[in-house]
Amino acid sequence: MINYKTINKNENVMVCYSEFTPPKGVTEYQVMIQLTKPGQSYEEQLKLLLDTYSDLKENEFKKGTTIFKRYFLSDAANQTDLLLAAETEHSDCALSIIEQAPCNGTKIALWAFLQTEVSTKALPEGLFEVAHNGYRHLWKGRDFNRASTSEYQTRLLLNNYVMQLSEQNCKLADNCIRTWFFVQNIDVNYAGMVKARNEVFLTQDLTEKTHYIASTGIGGRHPDPQVTVQMDAYAINGIQPAQIQFLYATTHLNPTYEYGVSFERGTCVKYGDRRQVFISGTASINNKGEVVYPGDVRKQTNRMWENVEALLKEAECSFDDVSQAIIYLRDPADYTIVKELFDNKFPHLPHVIVHAPVCRPKWLIEMECIAVKSDKNDKFKDF
């Protein structure tokens, strides 16, 4: 059972979070902090957001440990250094920072993921370990390099990640659950990212005959303009193959390899006490791989929801089990329409709407989400 809570700390900031509390074991919190007054300076907004999160940690989530944060910025080139300086003082988790401007006109928003009863530590090469009950959850944020093209950058990112996982007794195909690829100028650089990912995956036994990895490939910018691809990732050491279920929803969606890309629509990870579901970036697409309702953001939003619901249903979940969502808009002028649609359908769901072009220009909107649901399976250890 997920409980949702909204806190208006003051007229300038709003906090929405979900709390998943099983009868015993690890509690999960998904937190979205958004500012509401665009008129403040970045320094003022950053301080307000950080102060709000510190207050939440002290009062709302006293037993929660932060395992992952993603900051959404409006101008990474001018804002990242100040944020990193502030984070250095209390860096306590895997950290992701990406230029994907909050569509409400503010300069910064935050998604934070917290869990109770876990132990954490930083590992070499930017990995962050979250350990509990024999599982080691390996989070990675802000991975990038400055190779000459998006293809070479992606190839280097993935090859390095394969080696990093190997050092933790993991394999890309067996242990990686989720990736995010943020692509600068996605209309130009997405093809290079896709080519490199396809080719590296072939070397790792990730094919149309085996499986791929749940993923989002979306527009996003690093503060350095030479960086055209940035990657976040999540893997689990200690997982069994039988615990992983890939989601297809073939009544609504087609296999991604049919149009030349290599990712799973979603992944369900089953534990003794729960199931966690990671839904990839999902847009208004049909089971022939075609864009549905070009030019109509309302109809695209509804078809997108229908697709996500079909994937959740395959994992024996529903929208009632969704703990957080990120919504990407190609055109920020669509924000008012989309916000109204989401507020009406999901009034309590922690979510953020950001400016981030989708990988096909005709897709006006995309969303990803995480769901969690109590389960009982004696074959597997609890989370």
Side-chain angles (χ1 to χ4, degrees), residues 40 113 137 229:
Q40 294 178 310
F113 191 179
H137 305 266
V229 182

Side-chain angles (χ1 to χ4, degrees), residues 155-311:
R155 194 184 310 279
L156 187 57
L157 283 169
L158 285 170
N159 284 334
N160 285 345
Y161 186 50
V162 167
M163 290 187 290
Q164 292 160 13
L165 288 177
S166 178
E167 291 173 0
Q168 302 301 323
N169 297 313
C170 293
K171 294 182 178 179
L172 190 67
D174 297 342
N175 302 96
C176 185
I177 302 298
R178 184 71 162 90
T179 60
W180 292 262
F181 290 94
F182 303 106
V183 184
Q184 181 194 148
N185 195 357
I186 193 167
D187 294 342
V188 173
N189 292 314
Y190 185 68
M193 186 279 286
V194 166
K195 183 175 184 292
R197 180 173 62 180
N198 290 348
E199 292 173 355
V200 173
F201 277 11
L202 277 173
T203 71
Q204 301 300 310
D205 197 30
L206 289 163
T207 73
E208 62 185 77
K209 295 181 179 179
T210 56
H211 67 85
Y212 296 120
I213 297 167
S215 189
T216 297
I218 197 75
R221 189 179 177 92
H222 186 275
D224 184 342
Q226 290 185 317
V227 176
T228 54
V229 182
Q230 184 171 312
M231 185 182 79
D232 296 347
Y234 167 56
I236 309 171
N237 175 274
I239 203 84
Q240 302 175 38
Q243 290 179 256
I244 301 174
Q245 174 192 358
F246 299 105
L247 308 175
Y248 303 102
T250 54
T251 56
H252 289 68
L253 303 140
N254 69 324
T256 60
Y257 67 80
E258 289 186 356
Y259 55 94
V261 292
S262 50
F263 70 93
E264 294 294 349
R265 300 293 188 185
T267 301
C268 176
V269 185
K270 301 174 183 179
Y271 299 91
D273 64 336
R274 74 192 67 191
R275 58 183 59 204
Q276 288 182 332
V277 183
F278 299 87
I279 300 297
S280 299
T282 303
S284 180
I285 189 173
N286 63 19
N287 61 5
K288 297 178 181 178
E290 300 166 335
V291 177
V292 183
Y293 306 120
D296 190 328
V297 74
R298 289 181 184 274
K299 289 184 177 180
Q300 284 202 17
T301 299
N302 280 282
R303 175 61 193 225
M304 175 184 73
W305 288 340
E306 188 180 328
N307 290 342
V308 171
E309 188 172 36
L311 290 165

Side-chain angles (χ1 to χ4, degrees), residues 240 377-381:
Q240 302 175 38
N377 196 324
D378 295 334
K379 296 179 183 178
F380 310 130
K381 294 181 297 183

Side-chain angles (χ1 to χ4, degrees), residues 2 110 339:
I2 293 180
L110 171 64
K339 181 180 187 301

Side-chain angles (χ1 to χ4, degrees), residues 43-258:
E43 290 82 359
E44 291 171 326
Q45 293 185 38
L46 175 61
K47 183 178 186 307
L48 180 57
L49 188 147
L50 294 177
D51 287 348
T52 298
Y53 190 69
S54 295
D55 181 66
L56 288 168
K57 283 288 299 286
E58 187 173 339
N59 296 297
E60 294 283 334
F61 314 125
K62 291 182 180 180
K63 297 182 179 180
T65 299
T66 311
I67 63 170
F68 183 81
K69 290 180 188 172
R70 179 174 297 152
Y71 288 95
F72 306 91
L73 301 181
S74 63
D75 181 2
N78 288 303
Q79 297 167 348
T80 302
D81 287 348
L82 191 60
L83 172 57
L84 286 173
E87 272 291 328
T88 300
E89 298 177 7
H90 35 47
S91 180
D92 56 355
C93 65
L95 181 64
S96 173
I97 300 172
I98 193 67
E99 181 179 314
Q100 289 178 332
C103 285
N104 68 354
T106 58
K107 295 178 178 292
I108 184 171
L110 171 64
W111 161 38
F113 191 179
L114 299 90
Q115 294 174 338
T116 64
E117 302 184 29
V118 298
S119 61
T120 63
K121 66 179 179 181
L123 299 175
E125 303 296 331
L127 291 176
F128 186 81
E129 177 187 285
V130 181
H132 184 262
N133 200 30
Y135 298 107
R136 296 169 60 235
H137 305 266
L138 306 174
W139 290 86
K140 188 174 186 64
R142 298 190 72 238
D143 203 7
F144 65 92
N145 60 71
R146 296 180 175 85
S148 58
T149 67
S150 61
E151 178 185 342
Y152 296 149
Q153 288 187 19
T154 305
R155 194 184 310 279
L156 187 57
L157 283 169
L158 285 170
N159 284 334
N160 285 345
Y161 186 50
V162 167
M163 290 187 290
Q164 292 160 13
L165 288 177
S166 178
E167 291 173 0
Q168 302 301 323
N169 297 313
C170 293
K171 294 182 178 179
L172 190 67
D174 297 342
N175 302 96
C176 185
I177 302 298
R178 184 71 162 90
T179 60
W180 292 262
F181 290 94
F182 303 106
V183 184
Q184 181 194 148
N185 195 357
I186 193 167
D187 294 342
V188 173
N189 292 314
Y190 185 68
M193 186 279 286
V194 166
K195 183 175 184 292
R197 180 173 62 180
N198 290 348
E199 292 173 355
V200 173
F201 277 11
L202 277 173
T203 71
Q204 301 300 310
D205 197 30
L206 289 163
T207 73
E208 62 185 77
K209 295 181 179 179
T210 56
H211 67 85
Y212 296 120
I213 297 167
S215 189
T216 297
I218 197 75
R221 189 179 177 92
H222 186 275
D224 184 342
Q226 290 185 317
V227 176
T228 54
V229 182
Q230 184 171 312
M231 185 182 79
D232 296 347
Y234 167 56
I236 309 171
N237 175 274
I239 203 84
Q240 302 175 38
Q243 290 179 256
I244 301 174
Q245 174 192 358
F246 299 105
L247 308 175
Y248 303 102
T250 54
T251 56
H252 289 68
L253 303 140
N254 69 324
T256 60
Y257 67 80
E258 289 186 356

